[in-house]
Amino acid sequence: MDKVIPISSHAENQLGAHLSEEVRATSGDLQGSVLGPLLFLAYVNDISRNIESTIRLFADDCVIYRKIINKEDIEKLQKVLDRLGEWAVENAMRINPSKSKAVRFTRARLKDPLDYSLTNTSIPETSSCKQLGIILRSNLSWADQVN
């Protein structure tokens, strides 16, 4: 017989000598708890299922990338983004498309703009992104990182 034991069913904050009003927590996890990161990883463990691109997770950050050689690769990457949107709906997760960026890493001079979307919201193209504290530029320059 399985038994669910609540870890904490009430939450309160203390600031100095002042204690906030107690609030019943009916779902979720207390911010800063030891179990929070482990529970989150268990929750998003299947995010890479049916994904035909490389996906990297670190805490609550997700990076998806693939080598683009032809138009078919562009379509496959968009399908991955569509699948990610479906996964979010299935798992009652909200992905903030405004925090998403599309970066093309190449030294070639390409003129066609990137046209990807996530949950029917266009993902803006940018010339750089920051990943785990490292600035990655589309032209593969390290100038931003060392200056």
Side-chain angles (χ1 to χ4, degrees), residues 2-147:
D2 292 334
K3 186 174 183 179
V4 177
I5 301 170
I7 295 168
S8 175
S9 60
H10 293 82
E12 59 189 15
N13 274 329
Q14 184 172 358
L15 180 61
H18 302 284
L19 192 60
S20 70
E21 186 178 320
E22 189 175 282
V23 178
R24 180 155 176 72
T26 58
S27 68
D29 180 42
L30 296 176
Q31 186 174 359
S33 75
V34 175
L35 281 178
L38 182 61
L39 293 172
F40 181 77
L41 288 175
Y43 192 72
V44 300
N45 187 46
D46 67 337
I47 196 170
S48 61
R49 185 185 52 186
N50 300 325
I51 299 283
E52 292 185 32
S53 293
T54 305
I55 185 167
R56 298 286 182 240
L57 299 172
F58 183 79
D60 63 347
D61 285 340
C62 175
V63 176
I64 299 172
Y65 58 93
R66 87 178 282 119
K67 187 174 185 176
I68 304 294
I69 297 173
N70 54 39
K71 198 169 189 123
E72 185 178 292
D73 291 325
I74 293 170
E75 292 168 1
K76 284 181 180 178
L77 184 54
Q78 182 57 58
K79 283 183 182 176
V80 165
L81 294 170
D82 295 340
R83 177 64 193 118
L84 181 63
E86 292 166 7
W87 176 90
V89 169
E90 290 167 7
N91 289 279
M93 285 282 254
R94 280 186 290 165
I95 298 175
N96 188 348
S98 68
K99 290 186 175 183
S100 301
K101 297 177 182 178
V103 183
R104 178 188 338 229
F105 295 100
T106 182
R107 290 186 183 259
R109 293 188 182 264
L110 301 172
K111 296 179 182 170
D112 294 333
L114 297 177
D115 186 28
Y116 294 108
S117 63
L118 180 59
T119 61
N120 296 319
T121 303
S122 182
I123 299 174
E125 183 175 0
T126 185
S127 62
S128 67
C129 64
K130 197 170 191 177
Q131 182 64 25
L132 300 176
I134 298 172
I135 301 168
L136 303 170
R137 292 204 52 79
S138 60
N139 65 0
L140 307 175
S141 166
W142 293 102
D144 290 338
Q145 191 65 38
V146 296
N147 292 332

